[in-house]
């Protein structure tokens, strides 16, 4: 029987034939695809013809198509719809893929060809993108350890293999802790919650087969529970379970994994001649150095902490008025902050939420993309990996641009958070291909027959991830390695965070924020309150984020800590972390940092990008039109279509003409003095 993962896909738009693929197909497909890719690489390395850009770099760009197909399908499903078999496969695949990467980077003949081209780069008559791809390829080999020999080379291979295993274990432990914990709600406790939270708890109970409503550790459920439940004992129980993910002892405890990961990263950096992992990692980012990162974070930390401390005093007074003694605790903040928001801004999320229907917010994100960039969206009926998934064809002036998949609802088989990935990235060489892009979210699924309602933060998340998707869909480069979001880590969040601004454009909310029951648009009075409260509680949000970023940086500067939890505590004490605010991602659940190298030493990048996105949106505000076509075209031409084909700073300067300072960010967050 033929393996569908290894066939030419004759499906519409060559999308993966999900309905034909079983879990038993993945392991044999991976083995065959790995072997095929190595054969392609070996043929390039052993080519008797002298190296040219076309027969070496461009040939490498075209190699591994079969492997890419297998991995794109597997990791899409493993992240969004896991099961024990897929988790077992992930554990098996991690060291194999690490060994495969090491075999390519350690191919001396291949590296010699790349080195030859790099040495002769000024004589090759390359265009700008080709020169960039050559530079990135050469740099990638060197940073992967291609120049290492003997024991150092063997050690690097072992280090990378072990890191791959640890990253997989970290994510699976976190998923298990999140999926195993539930807190049943009595009829009385349920009745005290707004209807939308009741619906989410009922749906979660059905999903867990719990025989009644429950609170789970899905952010889309536990956060509104902490906001609205008047039962302090239940809030404390739920918060402590949420904070303890990955630190419960036993087989799913991530603290030892974090410690080993940090030590291995230090070893990896020093093998390559760097003083520590942060210097290694940040060398290729816009920030450049750990000092530059810390300087940015501390410029934001002090005003954010000052605002958070002021807010804490007000919330603690509300706690005391309710008859509770002692300090404000982390499980109290969201509850009393919601009460304060309702009192000071007359803004009740239970009243707001019916106006933020998922369906209408999807329409809003599409509409903004259409007005800004001329994109059109047509929903299709194609078999996907889960019944909750939806897919749209994206066109521009009648030309097919991309497929966009949306997987919006939380479920026990999906890892937490929200993300965007490309199952296939855009490229024109060695062959033309259009992107297949997916947004994965974890919004609370409604009870049968009811519309899905979002919080304002949920709606912002939807716009954020769709901004990433636009970066992929509008990509217009020659080579896949510099396509879409293949950019510096502290630049990749610019398009996503910039797109969030369009959610706050009054005319967008006026048109698309319509009531789930009546269909009426959001009243102007409520709209004014929403926009007026846009920076409400920003001290809290900024503190929990920046604290996480500072801990991440401290983990990777200097010697790796023997005890990451002790290091975390030291960092938080040194910066004066407010008692009633927890890190957005404490170490045992910090998947951004420990699931892989992606955001390690790089969690600051959201803030770095926000400095740019605040300034970039001002380009539209200065014109006086958030949908100004010329500004949108300049954004698309300089940033969104260029991927990593040019240096990130060069792209931003081409759009804005200058680099921004932190002032626009502080102003946008309501933290400016």
């Amino acid at each position: 029987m033929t393996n569908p993962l290894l066939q030419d896909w004759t499906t519409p738009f060559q999308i993966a034939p999900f309905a034909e693929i079983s879990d038993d197909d993945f392991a044999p497909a991976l083995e065959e695809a790995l072997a095929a890719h190595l054969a392609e690489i070996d043929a390039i390395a052993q080519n008797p013809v002298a190296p040219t850009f076309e027969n070496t770099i461009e040939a490498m760009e075209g190699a591994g198509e079969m492997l890419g197909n297998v991995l794109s399908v597997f990791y899409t499903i493993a992240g969004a719809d896991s099961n024990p078999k897929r988790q077992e496969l992930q554990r098996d695949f991690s060291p194999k893929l690490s060994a495969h990467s090491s075999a390519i980077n350690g191919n001396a003949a291949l590296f010699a060809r790349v080195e030859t081209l790099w040495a002769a780069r000024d004589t090759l008559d390359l265009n700008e993108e080709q020169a960039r791809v050559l530079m990135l390829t050469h740099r990638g080999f060197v940073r992967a350890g291609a120049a290492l020999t003997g024991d150092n080379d063997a050690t690097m291979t072992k280090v990378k293999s072990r890191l791959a295993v640890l990253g997989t274990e970290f994510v699976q432990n976190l998923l298990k802790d999140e999926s195993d914990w539930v807190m049943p709600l009595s009829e009385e406790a349920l009745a005290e919650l707004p209807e939308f939270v009741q619906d989410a708890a009922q749906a979660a109970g059905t999903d867990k087969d719990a025989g009644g409503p429950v609170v789970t550790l899905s952010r889309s459920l536990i956060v509104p529970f902490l906001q609205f439940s008047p039962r302090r004992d239940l809030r404390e129980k739920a918060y402590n379970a949420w904070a303890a993910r990955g630190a419960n002892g036993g087989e799913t405890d991530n603290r030892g994994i974090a410690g080993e990961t940090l030590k291995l990263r230090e070893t990896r950096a020093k093998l390559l001649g760097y003083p520590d992992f942060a210097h290694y990692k940040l060398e290729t980012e816009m920030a450049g150095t750990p000092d530059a990162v810390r300087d940015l974070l501390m410029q934001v930390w002090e005003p954010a902490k000052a605002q958070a401390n002021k807010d804490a005093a007000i919330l603690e007074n509300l706690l005391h008025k309710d008859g509770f003694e002692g300090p404000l605790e982390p499980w109290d903040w969201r509850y009393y902050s919601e009460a304060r928001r309702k009192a000071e801004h007359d803004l009740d999320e239970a009243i707001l939420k019916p106006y933020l229907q998922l369906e209408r917010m999807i329409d809003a994100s599409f509409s903004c993309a259409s007005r800004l960039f001329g994109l059109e969206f047509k929903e299709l009926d194609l078999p996907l990996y889960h019944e909750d998934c939806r897919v749209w064809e994206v066109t521009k002036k009648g030309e097919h641009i991309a497929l966009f998949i949306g997987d919006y609802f939380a479920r026990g088989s999906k890892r937490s958070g929200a993300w965007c990935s490309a199952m296939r990235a855009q490229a024109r060489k060695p062959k033309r291909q259009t992107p297949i892009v997916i947004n994965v979210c974890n919004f609370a699924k409604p009870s049968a027959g009811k519309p899905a309602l979002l919080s304002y933060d949920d709606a912002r998340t939807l716009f954020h991830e769709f901004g990433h998707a636009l970066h992929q869909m509008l990509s217009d480069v020659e080579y896949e390695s510099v396509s879409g979001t293949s950019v510096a880590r502290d630049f990749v969040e610019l398009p996503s965070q910039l797109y969030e601004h369009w959610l706050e454009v009054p005319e967008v909310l006026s048109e698309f924020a319509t009531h789930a029951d009546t269909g009426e648009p959001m009243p102007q009075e409520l709209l004014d309150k929403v926009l007026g409260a846009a920076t409400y509680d920003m001290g809290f949000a900024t503190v929990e984020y920046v604290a996480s970023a500072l801990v991440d940086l401290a983990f990777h500067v200097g010697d790796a800590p023997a005890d990451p939890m002790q290091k975390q505590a030291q960092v938080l004490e040194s910066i004066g972390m407010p008692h009633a605010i927890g890190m957005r991602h404490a170490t045992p659940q910090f998947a951004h940092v420990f699931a892989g190298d992606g955001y390690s030493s790089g969690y600051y990048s959201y803030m770095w990008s926000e400095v740019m996105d605040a300034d970039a949106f001002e380009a539209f505000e200065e014109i006086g039109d958030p949908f100004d076509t010329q500004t949108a075209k300049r954004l698309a031409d300089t940033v969104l279509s260029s991927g990593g084909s040019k240096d990130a700073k060069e792209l931003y300067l081409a759009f804005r003409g200058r680099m921004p300072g932190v002032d626009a960010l502080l102003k946008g967050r309501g933290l400016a003095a």
Side-chain angles (χ1 to χ4, degrees), residues 281-474:
K281 186 67 184 293
L282 294 172
E283 179 186 49
T284 61
E285 307 299 334
M286 291 184 74
T289 67
D291 286 345
V293 172
R294 184 171 176 82
D295 180 60
L296 167 71
L297 293 174
M298 293 308 296
Q299 285 186 64
V300 179
W301 173 258
E302 292 301 337
K305 182 175 70 170
Q307 183 61 55
N309 285 334
K310 290 178 184 177
D311 293 339
I314 296 171
L315 301 184
E316 189 169 282
N317 187 50
L318 295 177
L319 173 75
H320 294 164
K321 284 183 177 180
D322 273 354
F324 296 106
E325 297 181 356
L328 186 76
E329 298 290 351
W331 48 87
D332 296 319
W333 190 293
R334 289 174 174 83
Y335 177 74
Y336 287 104
S337 179
E338 182 63 30
R340 180 189 175 197
R341 180 170 71 159
K342 186 175 180 180
E344 293 186 2
H345 294 274
D346 194 21
L347 185 59
D348 184 345
E349 185 157 319
I351 295 175
L352 171 63
K353 205 159 185 177
Y355 289 98
L356 299 176
Q357 300 176 67
L358 171 61
E359 197 66 32
R360 296 295 286 151
M361 291 299 101
I362 294 172
D363 290 344
S365 67
F366 289 175
S367 173
C368 291
S370 178
R371 294 180 65 180
L372 288 165
F373 309 117
L375 302 184
E376 298 173 341
F377 300 84
K378 177 184 177 182
E379 189 160 11
L380 305 175
D381 183 14
L382 298 176
L384 299 169
Y385 62 85
H386 193 277
E387 61 183 8
D388 287 342
C389 294
R390 301 166 66 182
V391 60
W392 292 263
E393 182 187 9
V394 186
T395 58
K396 184 173 183 177
K397 296 180 180 178
E399 179 186 354
H400 174 79
I401 297 295
L403 282 186
F404 173 68
I405 300 170
D407 182 359
Y408 295 110
F409 294 127
R411 52 181 172 266
S413 61
K414 183 188 288 187
R415 66 179 172 89
S416 61
W419 63 93
C420 173
S421 59
M423 296 191 69
R424 183 177 69 215
Q426 178 271 332
R428 291 196 295 272
K429 290 182 178 178
K431 73 172 188 176
R432 183 175 295 273
Q433 58 189 42
T434 55
I436 299 176
V437 188
I438 180 168
N439 277 178
V440 184
C441 300
N442 268 283
F443 304 140
K445 190 172 184 178
S447 301
K450 294 194 175 185
L453 304 179
L454 306 182
S455 69
Y456 198 70
D457 281 346
D458 287 340
R460 184 180 289 113
T461 295
L462 186 144
F463 268 69
H464 178 100
E465 298 306 333
F466 194 69
H468 281 309
L470 287 172
H471 202 182
Q472 296 277 16
M473 293 188 288
L474 292 172

Side-chain angles (χ1 to χ4, degrees), residues 465-492:
E465 298 306 333
F466 194 69
H468 281 309
L470 287 172
H471 202 182
Q472 296 277 16
M473 293 188 288
L474 292 172
S475 178
D476 186 19
V477 299
E478 296 288 322
Y479 299 103
E480 184 175 342
S481 65
V482 291
S483 175
T485 57
S486 298
V487 299
R489 181 64 62 177
D490 50 9
F491 190 70
V492 75

Side-chain angles (χ1 to χ4, degrees), residues 5-212:
L5 287 162
L6 302 177
Q7 306 307 305
D8 289 332
W9 296 341
T10 58
T11 50
F13 310 102
Q14 291 77 54
I15 193 172
F18 291 105
E20 301 172 21
I21 298 169
S22 75
D23 287 346
D24 291 335
D25 293 323
F26 287 115
L30 181 70
E31 294 297 332
E32 189 166 336
L34 289 173
H37 188 211
L38 282 182
E40 291 172 315
I41 292 296
D42 192 56
I44 297 168
Q46 301 302 324
N47 189 342
V49 179
T52 65
F53 183 88
E54 290 73 21
N55 72 18
T56 302
I57 306 300
E58 195 169 286
M60 290 167 61
E61 289 278 329
E65 181 179 358
M66 181 190 298
L67 180 61
N69 287 344
V70 173
L71 295 181
S72 70
V73 175
F74 176 73
Y75 282 105
T76 293
I77 296 175
D81 192 24
S82 188
N83 61 31
K85 176 65 174 178
R86 292 167 190 169
Q87 291 181 4
E88 179 186 354
L89 288 170
Q90 278 184 286
R91 292 190 293 270
D92 290 343
F93 287 3
S94 292
K96 291 180 180 179
L97 291 170
S98 177
H100 181 72
S101 176
S102 294
I104 294 173
N105 291 319
N107 187 316
L110 182 65
F111 182 51
R113 294 179 73 87
V114 174
E115 280 271 63
T116 298
L117 292 172
W118 178 244
R121 59 191 179 277
D122 293 335
T123 68
L124 299 179
D125 194 26
L126 303 179
N127 64 35
E128 189 175 12
E129 183 175 328
Q130 289 173 328
R132 174 81 173 167
V133 170
L134 173 59
M135 184 277 290
L136 292 172
T137 302
H138 179 263
R139 188 177 74 181
F141 268 93
V142 173
R143 287 171 59 82
L148 297 177
T149 58
D151 290 344
N152 286 344
D153 181 39
T155 300
M156 177 66 82
T157 298
K158 291 177 182 177
V159 164
K160 289 195 288 186
S161 178
R162 181 61 179 158
L163 283 170
V165 171
L166 292 174
T168 299
E169 290 179 357
F170 189 96
V171 172
Q172 293 188 354
N173 289 347
L174 186 57
L175 176 62
K176 183 163 178 52
D177 275 6
E178 289 174 345
S179 61
D180 283 356
W181 189 89
V182 296
M183 182 176 73
L185 291 176
S186 66
E187 290 185 10
E188 295 79 7
L190 184 70
E192 293 168 331
L193 299 170
E195 184 178 358
F196 75 88
V197 186
Q198 293 184 32
D199 288 344
Q202 296 278 17
T206 300
D207 180 60
K208 296 291 186 182
D209 197 21

Side-chain angles (χ1 to χ4, degrees), residues 611-635:
V611 170
M612 289 183 286
D613 85 61
D615 178 71
F617 193 69
E618 284 189 351
F620 290 89
E621 294 178 321
E622 289 163 3
I623 297 294
D625 180 4
F627 293 99
D628 179 67
T629 54
Q630 289 187 337
T631 308
K633 184 177 186 303
R634 191 167 75 251
L635 175 66

